[in-house]
Amino acid sequence: MAKLPSPVLSVSLTLAFASLLSACDRQSTEPAQQKEETVKDLPDGTSGTVSRNHAGEPLPDITVSDPSGTTLDLTALKGKPTLINLWATWCAPCIVEMPQLNTIAGERKDHLRVLTISQDLQGAEKVVPFFEQKKFTNLPRWMDPENDLIFAYQGGELPLTILYNAKGEEIWRVTGGFDWSGEKATRLIDEAIEPQPAASSAT
């Protein structure tokens, strides 16, 4: 799990990000909260924590943009469940997750919106070549170079993934790398997907 620098270190962001390249393990000293669950035995040694402590909170009032300059107001993302993933090109666990999220975005596009939002300070300079190389055809190239989202979520660590229901209310969030291809991830995402009515048989 990679940790982001705090706002007070903004004058040293370049050096801070360089030092984070090898920081993949959580080093938080905060006490474990209730309703948290540690996920073990994930690919490439990744591990993540599922928390429901923020359940019911609304989508943050923040606007992100893509390399073309198109903007997106996150508060407008209602009517369909949304999975938001905060990532960066320098974050090793993030890179492991991206192909899995790309698959989910393609397979569940009718019932789930997947938003990958880069926290790279260099924005399009890093995001565009990364997507061109990896060819993630199902994932959007949203960017938050000011790191407004990670601070809004009071996270400070990447990757950070949050699931919202169709009303724009948080269901859970995962801090750290996660096996999004596994059955546990499927069950977690299904919590936001309303059962589809069965087609009536012709009489």
Side-chain angles (χ1 to χ4, degrees), residues 83-161:
L83 186 70
I84 291 179
N85 175 264
L86 305 188
W87 69 284
T89 58
W90 47 261
C91 167
C94 301
I95 305 308
V96 172
E97 292 185 341
M98 294 293 276
Q100 300 169 359
L101 294 172
N102 185 64
T103 298
I104 292 174
E107 294 178 347
R108 294 189 172 234
K109 61 183 179 180
D110 292 335
H111 306 294
L112 178 71
R113 180 189 296 113
V114 178
L115 299 185
T116 44
I117 306 177
S118 167
Q119 299 296 293
D120 285 280
L121 298 179
Q122 299 91 337
E125 179 183 342
K126 292 291 185 180
V127 173
V128 171
F130 177 83
F131 268 81
E132 290 180 348
Q133 177 187 14
K134 300 297 184 180
K135 303 186 185 306
F136 295 136
T137 57
N138 299 316
L139 297 179
R141 305 183 183 190
W142 295 115
M143 305 177 300
D144 173 33
E146 299 298 326
N147 295 161
D148 291 332
L149 274 173
I150 198 70
F151 293 127
Y153 286 127
Q154 301 177 5
E157 299 173 355
L158 296 177
L160 177 63
T161 308

